Amino acid sequence: MSAPASAPRPLTAVALVCSLKPRPAPSSSELMAEHVCEHLRSAGVQTEILRCADYAISPGVEADMGDGDEWPQLRQKLIDADIVVLSTPVWVGHPSSIAQRVLERLDAELSTTDDAGRPVMVGKVAVVAVVGNEDGAHKIIADMFQGLNDIGFSIPAQGGTYWTGEAMQSTDYNDLDEVPEPVAKTTAAVARNAAHLARVLRDDQYPPYQ
């Protein structure tokens, strides 16, 4: 009698919250990341949420910039994960400076390859969440997707979700009594599609580069 097949390892996801505010300050970006992660957990994915402002992320394009740089701690979390959720606020129509720094630090991974010659982020799934009180969400998602895809992440179908309030007003995503139904449906689809694509890539990685 053959031994029973072992169960596949569970998928894991890390959400990098790129709010400019460290904990314990409330963050709409973190709340949006939590909503994505709730749906990921419903799909059987283990999740962890990290706020980047709690870490000293040095400027640069190396995996480790030394001298107190805490990016390597976050980098290892990404190396170990199947799915990355990048959540950013809108600031003057652009992603936060922290979100941009995350992409700059990830640029180092283009030259870090596995035994098959693939950049180490190839085979991982990335999705983007954006919150803000002004327009710009579509442009930010497009910019984030471009950078993440260049680095090697795979973007699932409809892999971005966002909420933007009325321009020049003070209501934040954190202030909502209830998430609008279109936003909730989009967030659920992002998580569902990310989990599906991550399972496909876990079981059938991209071909070797060499």
Side-chain angles (χ1 to χ4, degrees), residues 7-59:
R9 65 171 177 79
L11 294 173
T12 59
V14 172
L16 295 185
V17 176
C18 297
S19 169
L20 299 181
K21 298 176 291 187
R23 288 173 173 160
S27 166
S28 290
S29 298
E30 182 158 341
L31 181 60
M32 176 68 92
E34 172 58 29
H35 288 164
V36 174
C37 286
E38 284 177 3
H39 290 290
L40 285 171
R41 291 192 291 270
S42 295
V45 181
Q46 298 175 359
T47 68
E48 182 177 12
I49 299 175
L50 303 170
R51 201 181 297 196
C52 292
D54 294 336
Y55 296 81
I57 304 175
S58 300

Side-chain angles (χ1 to χ4, degrees), residues 29-186:
S29 298
E30 182 158 341
L31 181 60
M32 176 68 92
E34 172 58 29
H35 288 164
V36 174
C37 286
E38 284 177 3
H39 290 290
L40 285 171
R41 291 192 291 270
S42 295
V45 181
Q46 298 175 359
T47 68
E48 182 177 12
I49 299 175
L50 303 170
R51 201 181 297 196
C52 292
D54 294 336
Y55 296 81
I57 304 175
S58 300
V61 291
E62 302 295 333
D64 187 346
M65 299 301 297
D67 296 327
D69 181 25
E70 293 181 330
W71 172 254
Q73 300 175 42
L74 297 176
R75 176 184 181 273
Q76 190 59 50
K77 298 281 189 181
L78 302 184
I79 293 291
D80 295 338
D82 300 291
I83 300 169
V84 173
V85 180
L86 190 60
S87 184
T88 179
V90 178
W91 280 111
V92 291
H94 298 279
S96 74
S97 57
I98 291 178
Q100 181 63 33
R101 181 160 296 184
V102 166
L103 287 181
E104 290 165 355
R105 295 304 301 272
L106 282 169
D107 184 74
E109 306 312 325
L110 284 169
S111 58
T112 305
T113 57
D114 62 17
D115 293 340
R118 295 175 293 242
V120 293
M121 296 303 173
V122 169
K124 300 182 185 299
V125 173
V127 296
V128 174
V130 178
V131 292
N133 291 325
E134 55 188 284
D135 201 5
H138 279 173
K139 177 63 163 56
I140 290 171
I141 290 172
D143 288 347
M144 295 294 100
F145 277 178
Q146 177 64 46
L148 289 165
N149 185 255
D150 278 353
I151 292 159
F153 290 96
S154 295
I155 310 300
Q158 297 181 322
T161 185
Y162 68 92
W163 175 87
T164 52
E166 187 178 357
M168 296 188 230
Q169 300 300 313
S170 59
T171 300
D172 290 334
Y173 190 71
N174 260 331
D175 299 327
L176 300 178
D177 295 327
E178 184 177 5
V179 178
E181 183 178 0
V183 177
K185 285 184 174 180
T186 300

